[in-house]
Structure formats: structure tokens, C-alpha cells
Amino acid sequence: MMLPKKTLMSLSVAGVMAGLSLGSGYAMAQNAELRGNVRVVIGSTSTGGDTYQNASIVVDRLTEHLGVNMKVDAVGASSAFRTLDRDSRGNTLMIFHDQSYLGYLYGVQGYDDIFEKYTIGPTIAINPGNAYLVPMDSPYQTLDDIIEAAGNGETIRVSIQPGGVSEIGYSALKNAIAIEHPGQEENLVAINTGSQSDKNQQLFDGQADVINGSVQANEQYTRLPESDQKAMRFIWLTARQDTIEQAPEEGLGQTTREQLLEYVEPNVNVTMGGDESFTFDKEFFFLYNKDMDQGIVDQIDEALAEIYEEGEIQQAQLDAFFIPDFKPSAEASEYLQEKMSRYEEIITNIN
Amino acid sequence: MEFLSFLDLSFFLLVGFGTLVGIIFGAIPGMTATMAVAVCLPLTYALGLNHGLALLLGLYVGGISGGMVPAVLLNIPGTPSSITTTFDGYPMAQKGEGEKALRICVIASLVGGLVSAAVLFLFAPLLADFSIKFSYVEKFLIILLALSVIASLSNSMLIGIFSGVIGVWLSLIGDYSISDGGNGHTRLMFDFMEPYLFEGFSLLPVLIGIFGISTILLEAEKGVKRDVAGERVKIGKESAFSFSIFKGSFTNLTRSSFIGTFVGMLPGVGGSAASVLAYTQEKNLAKDSSQMGKGAPQGLISSESANNALTGGALIPLLSLGIPGDSTTAVLIGAFTLQGIQVGPLFIPENHDTWYVMMTALVLANFVMFVLMFFAIKHIAKVVMVPKHILYPLIVMMCVVGAYAINYGIMFDVWTLLIFGVLGYLIQKIGLEVAPLIIGFILGSQAEVYFVKSLESFGTYSIFFTKSPIALVLWALIAASVVFAIAMGFKSRARQKMELSQMHDPSHTASGKHHDSRND
Amino acid sequence: MASDLLSVSIDFETSHLYFPTLVHWILGILFAVILLTRVVPFMAAVRRGERTLPIIGESRDNKRFFGTFALIIAYFYLMDVVGNLFPYTGYGFLFVSMAFVLLMSLLYLHKWTRKTLVIVAVNAVVAPALVWFVLAKLFTITLP
């Protein structure tokens, strides 16, 4: 069967035209706007955790503001990065926290340099709760006692989850001991543990002297009577002083902001050499595919700026014990890069 | 009794609705209680704490119970903790006793749920203090005890153990997870697999792949002949259910319920260990357990009462330590944090009303579950009457949904279904055993973490014996379990030999005996 | 001293290999035992013609067996591909499932009558649509 040449030609021309118009329509639609359904993957697999909570507070408001369907999926770090890698259309966004570059600094498998591989989006909030605790009846009253004891050759075991947010405070402490008591930093020993329950368990078992924890997860333990085997007390919050100062006055549970401030700098000082002292705020921010259109980056920046302008989101974050912390993407990227280089110094120092 | 003011009509409706939705989720192969709770979590923000908890606890109890349905009728565990329900449930369904099996399960579930709720209510803080006596060492021994079921569960102990170790091996693929305190390095794979297998194979897709997809492959091979899956299902008369089945099961019910509660209570020991452990103990301690695995009601009783007892058990550490006892309660924590309520050792004393509300919802959900299921069973059991050419494509489709959704949308989990479907098919063809393999897989990665961490903290193997009196008790149980399995093995071999020698010329029995496990 | 024999020190950097190595040893030993006590006698029996090899030596409905395989592989693959055209709408699942359910039903159906074909077709459209509507729309579960 032969079709007349003319018909074939016109058919193919029509086909090309249709393809072109479809393609250009697609390209135009792509230009500068989130559209269709958008999935926000997070670096945690827990839907009860702080990353999920933060992401959903922000995403709920973005959905409303932009009128786009957005949904948070707790797929975990490795899958989240992979999903983001594959989609440059802007249908996949990611929200994670400092773990994303700390994992890389600690050389954890599966983490790349996020500043090279992705576009950094805006920061949204801080979880000020990263804390270190000792048993209620511990001989160490302050962090200085611990630094001093390590300097005097006492072994101090710190239970942490290796390779990230939980370890950074430990590394800073080790660095401080190295500065104040050179050569003695080996006395601070990491016990590599998993979940919060495992870390608590290490303390109950007497297998650790200090544990990493959080205000949210451990506050009630600090209010148990001393006779209780489970009783603990805070010894250090890594947050900056002015971060905690922004927390609600009533603090968390029955521990007030006033009390929490006792455990942050300058009351607790972990030196980084010179006058500088170490702090760590766990900040949540967006990560985008490198090839995603700049228009979308701007669109989200603008939308968030307007949302934060309205002021309602701040209250929601504070109610959940998060500190509002919006920086548009360009500023966030610079800020986080600077933050990373400070921690990089610590980690190279102690290795 | 101020909390009574929270119990309005909508409270009861929400518990009922939650339980119903939970049962549906649990009953669909691949959908779990955890997923049901996670999906409905955002709703609770609008509902407020008490009503939100009513809904979520309903979902939790319903979801765990619903898992029995596909386990019995289709040989696919609806939730990981109903794995042992398939061992006896499916053989019963094949004999046409699916409805009876389900009724037994429902009653056992109710008892398990209520026992654990009572334990939770009366002893939560006390038990929390006891549970923290279990460190890495004791948790490893608990896992080992659960693994010891493999010895008595398998047709041939050698093949069974081998299959179990393969299961353990498969569970180790992927990274030694940082979130377990490992170093995050991957092992047992090639570099090109890393993008897919970084976190290893997920449990749920593995389970439904090895049970669901491989069953379909085996059927396809035979040409999907008999068009109705369970054409011999007799509804009524011959295999009628009666409460007399439970006569003499008091010990089993109580023991299994307490095991379920107890395992649920240990943070970090997964829920599926509960039913496995209860099943082991019934197998070891019952007067006659020779029929278990071939369709014995006692197996269903121990499995289902234990897995429903998880609910109360897992809430113990959640409410008195602030630590979730299983994956579902981990999501439940979100409901509290969404409402700005902290869970921890002071939760119960500081939130009395919420505590009573939760207890009411939990007990209520168990009764609603019982009523809904007990009367719906007659209709549910008819699933097996659906022609296979309609049923099988739908099973595959639902397995896909479940696998894809379990980790919130990961395509590799869907491929895992196929990989393990094929693996399950091959395993059965070459004569390895599926049940031990899957138990090995479920428990393998926990065994690793607790084993390695014990050695890391104490630096000696002897710690497993000297750590605490609890460790010694656990060793005694493990030893008893193994000795029992060996004795059982000898007994059944002797019986088989006798039967064979009566039937055949004695000279043939020697060569026949070697391969009896290969052909079933 | 017994305690020296039992003492171990695990290097954190290689701790991910400690347990797998142990498992490999156990697997290896068990496999050797099975090889000697089971496989060797079995192969001997195969050679004598008393038994047949699994899979290779069995009869099988090739059309349905390999058809199932092909359908499942195509289903999983196309779901992802089609889903990618309509990101996160679940359409990939919806449309490809309809085709899959239809084809697999037809494959397994022994007697094609008008009535069964209508049932099969209706089922193939309604079931995926219902699942899609309830899960993707009502519960906003992400589907391919």
C-alpha cells in the first residue's frame, strides 16, 4: 500500500508542528513555575520526627499559597537524594537539615558535597533541642568538669549516633580538649549507638558517661527524682544563645527558657581556638535539583517570603518548639557553606 | 472522672471508623497498620488530641488484626506480624476451614488485645523499668530465642537451618545503618547496586513477594487450572466453628498474650518477633504440637493473640519512656508532637485524662474489631471463591501498591517484589524452606546489631553468659527450644520410618528418606 | 585463659563486615554438609534416572508461566515510565494497571465466553480506578 507522497509530507509536517507546539508549550510551562503535583521528599524515614514536622508545617502553607498540590514523603536520606537527582522538572523537592553536609564531612557512604551537586534552597527553621546529658548522679556538674577530667586522664565515654548531627558536638568537645589539654583528647571516647532509646539505654547500663539527646526527647527524664535510675540532667545545649532566646518563654514541658539558657554559651563554653566558641543549630532547608529552573527557585523564595511576612507560620513553628529561620536561597547557600567550613575545620583538627 | 467528658458520640464513632479502616488496610496484602496510621495522621490535627487518638488507636488495633485475613485465605501475611498465622491458617483454608480459622484468629486477637491493654493499664511504669534491664546482650538473646523456632519449624532441621541462615544473609545486604549505630558502609553487593540497595531490601516487599508473587508463579506454571482458589471451602456444617476449640487453650492464650505484650514492650525488637516467639513457645511447650504448621488451631491462637498483644505492649515504652515499641507507635509519636504533647517518663502522671482516654479507646477498639470481624468473616471468607483469573491480577496490583507505598514511594521496592517472587519460586523448587528463610530475614539485621554492639561494648564473647541473670534464663529457654526440636525430629523420623517400613519393602526406605523434604 | 580466648575487639571501620563474615562461615559449613548428605545422593539418583532435576526436568505450562513473567516485568517497567510523564499523579499506576489486569486475566482465563470477557473487562477498569481513587485521591498516598 502506497500513500501519495503529498499526504505523507503534510502528515509529517503536521506531526512535527504538533510536536513543536507541544514541546514549546511544555517548555513554556516549565519556565519559572511549579505545576502539577509536587512531592517533597525528606531525609528522614520517620513521620513522627522533627524533619517531617518542619517540612509539613512549611509545605502545608506553600500548598495553600501557591495553589499547587504538594505532599511530604518520608523516604529517608539515600532515597531522597536519589529521587531528587532524577527529576529536574521541579516536581520533586527535598527538605533536610545539617546532616546533609555533615554526613559528607564525616565521609559517610552515600553523601556527596551538596553545594556542588544540588542547588541550596531557603532555610525554614531551627530545631534548638540538640543536647548532651549526664546521669542525675554524675560527678560532672558542668561541661568544664568533663573537659578538665579528660585533661587529667579520665576516660569519658560519650554515646552518639556516628556520622552527623549527633556526632558534631562530640567532635567539637574533643577539639576543645585538644586545644586546652593537648594530647589528652583521646580520653574522650565515642560509643557509637543508634536510636535515642539505645543512647538512653547506654546511660542506664552505665556503658556511657554522657549521651547525645534532645530537649524534646529527654526533658521529662531531667525531672525524675534522683532516686530513679532513669534520671538525667542536661549538661550542654549546642544551640546559639540567641536561638534559645527566641524560644517561647515557657520553654518546653516544665523546663523554662530561663533554665535552658543555663546550658548554652556563654554559660557553657566549648572553645574552637581563639575567642571563638562552638555552637550548633540544627537548621532545616530546601535542596533542589541542580538543573531545576531558576524561576522555580525564585517562586518558592518569594512565596516563602510572603508566608513569613504574614507571621502565622512563626507561631506554628514556635508551638512545635522550632525557631523560625527564613533565609532566601542565595543567602542560605552562602550561610550554610560558611557554616560547613567551620565544622570542617573541627573535624580535620581531631583526625 | 473528668475524662468521661471527652467521651462523646464522635469519640465512639471515630474509634469504630478507625478500626474499620484499619481492618481494611490490614486485610489488603501489602497495606499495614503503620501505613494506615501514617496516612490518617494529618487528619488528627483537625480532630484534636483525644479524638485524634481515638481514630489512630482504632486504626492500630484494626490494622494489626486485619493482617490475619490474607494470611489465612491467601497465604500472604497482610502485615509482617501475621507471618506465623499463615503457617496454620492457610493449610486450614485449603482444607476448607478458612472461616473457622478466621473465627479462631478473631477470638485470639481479642484476648491478646485485652490482656495487653490490661497489662498496659496496670503495670506500664513498672514494666518500663523492667524493660530497660534489657541491654544489647539480652536483646540479642531474645532474637536468638526467636530464631531457634527455625529448628523445630522445618521439615528437615539441616535444610531449615540452612534456609534460615540464607535469610539472615539476605537481611544483611545493604548498609550497616548509621541509625543503628553502625558505620554506614555497604556490604554483600556490587557497587552498581548501591543506588538501589543502599538500605537493603525492605521487609514488606520481601514478604509479599516471597509469599504472594511466588504463589502466583507456581500456579501459572501449573496453568492456573482449577479456576477457584478454594473450591472446597465448606461454609457451615462439617467444619463449623465452636468455642470448644478453645478448650484447653487457656495456657496457650495467656502465654502468647504475655509474650506479645512483652516483645512489644522492648524497644528495638520488631513486632514480628512477637508472633514468632509465641509460636515457638507453643510448639515447644504444648503437649501435642505435631500438627502445628499443618493446620492446627493452637498455632493460630498463639500467633494471633501474640500479635494483637503487641498493641498494648508497644504503647508501654511509648507512654512511659517516650520511646516507640514498634514502627506503628513510632508514627503515633507524631500525633502527640503535632498536638504539642511530650511523651516520656512523666507522660502518664502529667496527662491523666489523655491516658484514660487512650485506654478507653484501646479497649473499645478491640471490641469493635471483634464485632466487625466476627460477623463479617462469613463474607470475607468468600474471597477464595473469586475465580483466580480475576483474583490473581488484583493481588499483584495490591502488592504493588503496598510495596510502593510502604516507604512512601520507592520504585525499587516494587522490583523487590519480583526479585523475591522469583527467589521464593526457586527456593521451593530446589527444596529449601520458605518459613525459616523468612524468619531469618526478619530477625537477621537486629541479630547483627545487637550481637556486634554487645561485643563492641564488652569486648568478650563471655558477656553473653555472664551479663545478667536474665541472660541465663534466656539461654535456658534457647537450650530447651533446641533440645526439644532435636527430640521432635528424632520422634517424627522414627514414626516415618515405621510407617514406611510397613508400607514398602524395607530396602527402599533408606534412599527414599533422604529426599522426603524435597518434594513437598 | 578462657577469657582471653573469648575476648574480641571490633574495629569500628570494619565492623560492617564482622557479622557477615560469621554468617558466611556458617553458610559455607552448612552448604558443604548439605552437598555431601543431600545433593550428591540426589544427583546420583538423577543419573540413575530415579529422580528428575527440579525446574529443568519438570513439565510446565510455558505460555502462562513465561507470560506471567513478561507481564509483570512490563507492568513494573511501564508503570514507572508512564508515571514519569505525569509526575506524582498516580496515572502511571492507574493506566498501566488497567492494561495489566486485563491482560493477565485474559492469560489465565481458560474459556473465553462473552460473559466472562465482560466481567474481566469491567474488573480491569473498575478495580484499578477504585484503588487509585481511594488511595491516591482520598488518602493522598504517592503512587507511581
Side-chain angles (χ1 to χ4, degrees):
Chain A
M1 192 177 100
M2 285 278 288
L3 279 168
K5 211 173 176 186
K6 211 172 162 189
T7 324
L8 258 182
M9 274 295 285
S10 56
L11 260 177
S12 59
V13 167
V16 170
M17 293 271 286
L20 271 178
S21 62
L22 259 178
S24 63
Y26 199 57
M28 288 232 314
Q30 277 248 312
N31 202 13
E33 278 221 338
L34 286 177
R35 61 196 331 269
N37 288 2
V38 177
R39 184 175 180 216
V40 181
V41 290
I42 62 172
S44 149
T45 52
S46 151
T47 47
D50 56 351
T51 313
Y52 184 85
Q53 252 187 302
N54 262 303
S56 70
I57 289 177
V58 168
V59 166
D60 282 353
R61 281 156 187 84
L62 269 179
T63 304
E64 210 170 293
H65 195 88
L66 296 172
V68 189
N69 281 329
M70 293 176 85
K71 158 133 200 294
V72 182
D73 270 336
V75 298
S78 151
S79 307
F81 282 129
R82 209 156 12 89
T83 315
L84 191 61
D85 289 344
R86 279 206 312 262
D87 182 7
S88 60
R89 297 167 298 188
N91 289 99
T92 311
L93 312 173
M94 177 169 171
I95 292 181
F96 202 18
H97 52 75
D98 301 78
Q99 178 67 37
S100 53
Y101 64 84
L102 285 175
Y104 170 69
L105 289 184
Y106 281 110
V108 179
Q109 203 178 331
Y111 283 91
D112 296 307
D113 185 350
I114 54 163
F115 297 101
E116 220 166 75
K117 205 172 169 192
Y118 304 99
T119 304
I120 306 297
T123 60
I124 51 180
I126 294 172
N127 177 354
N130 188 35
Y132 285 81
L133 299 104
V134 293
M136 190 74 95
D137 56 5
S138 161
Y140 310 117
Q141 294 306 316
T142 63
L143 204 62
D144 278 338
D145 289 352
I146 291 176
I147 297 174
E148 210 50 46
N152 291 331
E154 265 177 60
T155 300
I156 291 153
R157 300 158 301 171
V158 188
S159 179
I160 51 160
Q161 182 178 328
V165 167
S166 172
E167 184 166 355
I168 188 67
Y170 159 83
S171 297
L173 190 58
K174 196 165 187 145
N175 184 45
I177 295 171
I179 292 167
E180 288 179 28
H181 307 277
Q184 297 297 310
E185 69 272 15
E186 296 307 315
N187 295 324
L188 195 71
V189 185
I191 311 270
N192 295 307
T193 327
S195 62
Q196 192 58 52
S197 92
D198 287 342
K199 287 183 256 182
N200 295 351
Q201 186 70 43
Q202 295 278 332
L203 209 62
F204 305 150
D205 287 351
Q207 290 294 313
D209 304 300
V210 184
I211 60 166
N212 172 252
S214 69
V215 175
Q216 292 90 333
N218 297 90
E219 190 265 346
Q220 292 196 347
Y221 287 90
T222 66
R223 290 191 279 125
L224 293 172
E226 194 170 343
S227 58
D228 195 318
Q229 187 198 354
K230 304 188 291 298
M232 311 173 182
R233 59 189 152 79
F234 290 118
I235 199 158
W236 180 27
L237 303 185
T238 60
R240 283 173 299 195
Q241 186 182 25
D242 59 294
T243 303
I244 299 282
E245 272 170 354
Q246 294 173 56
E249 198 181 339
E250 59 277 18
L252 188 89
Q254 286 176 24
T255 305
T256 61
R257 180 173 69 195
E258 201 64 31
Q259 287 169 300
L260 291 175
L261 280 168
E262 287 169 32
Y263 306 108
V264 297
E265 44 104 32
N267 295 329
V268 175
N269 183 24
V270 177
T271 181
M272 288 177 65
D275 295 337
E276 215 181 345
S277 91
F278 168 87
T279 54
F280 173 74
D281 279 335
K282 184 179 180 184
E283 274 169 292
F284 298 88
F285 53 90
F286 277 91
L287 289 154
Y288 305 136
N289 184 297
K290 193 103 205 163
D291 300 322
M292 192 179 82
D293 197 289
Q294 180 64 31
I296 301 178
V297 178
D298 297 338
Q299 187 195 10
I300 296 174
D301 270 353
E302 279 160 31
L304 280 177
E306 284 161 27
I307 290 167
Y308 276 83
E309 190 74 21
E310 284 165 23
E312 182 271 337
I313 192 173
Q314 283 90 338
Q315 202 47 53
Q317 289 171 326
L318 286 171
D319 286 346
F321 202 65
F322 297 120
I323 310 299
D325 168 43
F326 170 65
K327 291 186 191 71
S329 37
E331 192 186 334
S333 176
E334 201 174 315
Y335 165 78
L336 288 169
Q337 224 157 346
E338 200 267 334
K339 191 175 178 187
M340 165 159 127
S341 63
R342 275 158 47 95
Y343 299 143
E344 189 169 14
E345 215 173 290
I346 292 177
I347 294 170
T348 40
N349 263 0
I350 56 166
N351 278 326
Chain B
M1 286 271 140
E2 206 184 319
F3 85 99
L4 287 174
S5 62
F6 296 112
L7 308 181
D8 50 10
L9 182 66
S10 54
F11 177 88
F12 293 102
L13 287 176
L14 280 166
V15 173
F17 175 73
T19 314
L20 179 66
V21 173
I23 291 174
I24 295 172
F25 263 76
I28 296 174
M31 311 298 276
T32 61
T34 314
M35 210 183 290
V37 174
V39 160
C40 294
L41 192 62
L43 297 177
T44 60
Y45 197 68
L47 288 173
L49 184 64
N50 294 317
H51 285 120
L53 284 171
L55 177 70
L56 295 178
L57 289 170
L59 288 167
Y60 186 22
V61 172
I64 297 271
S65 316
M68 71 176 76
V69 175
V72 169
L73 297 179
L74 305 171
N75 200 24
I76 305 172
T79 56
S81 54
S82 46
I83 161 113
T84 43
T85 308
T86 62
F87 297 168
D88 289 296
Y90 189 61
M92 284 182 75
Q94 281 181 314
K95 280 187 262 172
E97 300 178 331
E99 195 185 331
K100 179 173 151 196
L102 283 174
R103 288 201 198 276
I104 296 170
C105 289
V106 173
I107 294 172
S109 293
L110 177 69
V111 174
L114 292 180
V115 167
S116 77
V119 172
L120 169 67
F121 185 67
L122 297 172
F123 306 112
L126 212 70
L127 282 171
D129 279 351
F130 179 63
S131 78
I132 64 167
K133 299 227 173 344
F134 284 72
S135 66
Y136 288 137
V137 175
E138 289 87 358
K139 282 181 187 166
F140 171 71
L141 295 176
I142 294 256
I143 301 286
L144 198 61
L145 178 60
L147 277 172
S148 72
V149 70
I150 288 174
S152 51
L153 197 68
S154 35
N155 295 320
S156 146
M157 202 186 290
L158 182 63
I159 301 282
I161 293 173
F162 183 64
S163 308
V165 181
I166 293 180
V168 172
W169 186 84
L170 288 169
S171 76
L172 299 178
I173 293 174
D175 66 334
Y176 179 29
S177 176
I178 288 185
S179 53
D180 294 326
N183 57 16
H185 292 311
T186 51
R187 61 271 164 95
L188 309 183
M189 61 161 117
F190 300 108
D191 284 344
F192 75 89
M193 299 174 183
E194 202 193 295
Y196 311 102
L197 269 179
F198 188 81
E199 279 139 359
F201 293 107
S202 312
L203 173 59
L204 189 88
V206 166
L207 270 185
I208 51 188
I210 218 164
F211 282 92
I213 304 292
S214 76
T215 309
I216 288 173
L217 287 176
L218 286 167
E219 278 286 337
E221 182 189 53
K222 284 184 249 156
V224 201
K225 289 269 164 50
R226 208 166 29 126
D227 207 37
V228 174
E231 60 174 7
R232 284 177 297 161
V233 175
K234 300 161 219 152
I235 295 171
K237 285 159 210 152
E238 249 175 284
S239 60
F241 167 82
S242 91
F243 283 91
S244 62
I245 294 168
F246 281 85
K247 211 178 271 170
S249 298
F250 180 76
T251 335
N252 183 6
L253 268 175
T254 325
R255 185 194 327 110
S256 304
S257 301
F258 277 104
I259 290 177
T261 313
F262 176 73
V263 172
M265 184 179 100
L266 290 181
V269 178
S272 11
S275 44
V276 174
L277 209 56
Y279 194 84
T280 333
Q281 294 315 307
E282 172 64 12
K283 182 117 190 165
N284 290 349
L285 300 173
K287 269 186 221 117
D288 175 23
S289 59
S290 58
Q291 289 308 305
M292 280 176 78
K294 295 169 192 154
Q298 64 193 126
L300 293 174
I301 293 173
S302 63
S303 170
E304 280 300 318
S305 54
N307 85 24
N308 263 62
L310 266 179
T311 52
L315 287 168
I316 293 175
L318 178 75
L319 300 179
S320 49
L321 294 172
I323 282 157
D326 69 354
S327 55
T328 318
T329 40
V331 181
L332 222 48
I333 273 198
F336 290 97
T337 40
L338 269 178
Q339 306 280 348
I341 300 247
Q342 267 178 289
V343 280
L346 296 173
F347 171 81
I348 298 175
E350 285 178 4
N351 301 280
H352 252 99
D353 288 339
T354 310
W355 164 237
Y356 286 128
V357 165
M358 288 186 77
M359 286 311 304
T360 317
L362 192 64
V363 173
L364 198 63
N366 272 293
F367 281 111
V368 173
M369 178 277 295
F370 177 76
V371 173
L372 284 176
M373 294 281 277
F374 201 81
F375 294 105
I377 280 170
K378 199 182 274 178
H379 309 289
I380 298 175
K382 284 183 187 142
V383 164
V384 287
M385 304 295 284
V386 176
K388 284 179 187 172
H389 67 264
I390 299 285
L391 188 62
Y392 284 0
L394 296 183
I395 290 181
V396 176
M397 182 177 77
M398 288 322 297
C399 287
V400 165
V401 174
Y404 189 78
I406 186 70
N407 293 318
Y408 306 101
I410 292 178
M411 199 58 210
F412 182 71
D413 286 337
V414 175
W415 289 103
T416 302
L417 277 179
L418 182 64
I419 296 172
F420 277 80
V422 173
L423 195 74
Y425 169 83
L426 293 176
I427 284 170
Q428 292 172 52
K429 283 283 159 187
I430 61 174
L432 293 176
E433 297 187 25
V434 170
L437 183 131
I438 212 70
I439 291 173
F441 184 87
I442 291 175
L443 301 172
S445 51
Q446 292 169 26
E448 165 176 40
V449 172
Y450 295 134
F451 181 75
V452 175
K453 288 290 159 197
S454 300
L455 293 178
E456 264 176 23
S457 341
F458 295 97
T460 168
Y461 282 106
S462 59
I463 191 65
F464 291 113
F465 301 95
T466 56
K467 173 74 176 34
S468 64
I470 297 176
L472 290 177
V473 171
L474 288 169
W475 273 115
L477 288 173
I478 294 168
S481 169
V482 171
V483 167
F484 173 82
I486 294 174
M488 270 263 295
F490 274 120
K491 224 195 274 172
S492 72
R493 188 176 293 189
R495 196 185 305 144
Q496 249 167 13
K497 225 176 192 169
M498 233 167 62
E499 281 166 14
L500 277 171
S501 62
Q502 281 166 357
M503 285 193 292
H504 304 285
D505 175 7
S507 64
H508 283 295
T509 53
S511 66
K513 193 185 70 190
H514 277 308
H515 309 296
D516 47 11
S517 66
R518 281 173 187 275
N519 288 332
D520 39 0
Chain C
M1 279 290 287
S3 63
D4 289 339
L5 277 176
L6 291 172
S7 70
V8 281
S9 124
I10 297 174
D11 178 23
F12 183 63
E13 269 314 297
T14 56
S15 62
H16 64 297
L17 297 175
Y18 191 84
F19 195 71
T21 313
L22 203 72
V23 171
H24 281 153
W25 277 104
I26 300 174
L27 263 183
I29 293 169
L30 285 172
F31 184 68
V33 174
I34 288 174
L35 207 63
L36 288 176
T37 62
R38 304 287 170 110
V39 179
V40 171
F42 179 77
M43 294 309 277
V46 170
R47 196 157 308 146
R48 288 195 303 273
E50 290 167 16
R51 307 183 76 91
T52 51
L53 283 173
I55 304 171
I56 307 161
E58 288 170 15
S59 64
R60 147 179 357 102
D61 184 333
N62 277 326
K63 183 183 97 185
R64 294 208 166 74
F65 183 70
F66 291 107
T68 306
F69 244 113
L71 272 179
I72 291 181
I73 291 173
Y75 179 39
F76 290 1
Y77 176 75
L78 289 177
M79 180 168 29
D80 201 26
V81 171
V82 177
N84 238 327
L85 298 178
F86 314 98
Y88 310 129
T89 49
Y91 290 159
F93 168 79
L94 179 63
F95 298 134
V96 182
S97 290
M98 285 178 176
F100 170 76
V101 173
L102 179 70
L103 292 174
M104 195 169 173
S105 291
L106 292 179
L107 180 70
Y108 287 177
L109 194 58
H110 284 270
K111 277 182 230 131
W112 289 31
T113 65
R114 200 190 165 86
K115 191 183 153 208
T116 51
L117 287 179
V118 169
I119 294 175
V120 160
V122 169
N123 176 54
V125 173
V126 172
L130 186 71
V131 169
W132 175 82
F133 179 75
V134 171
L135 297 179
K137 283 283 153 189
L138 285 182
F139 287 119
T140 64
I141 292 178
T142 304
L143 290 177

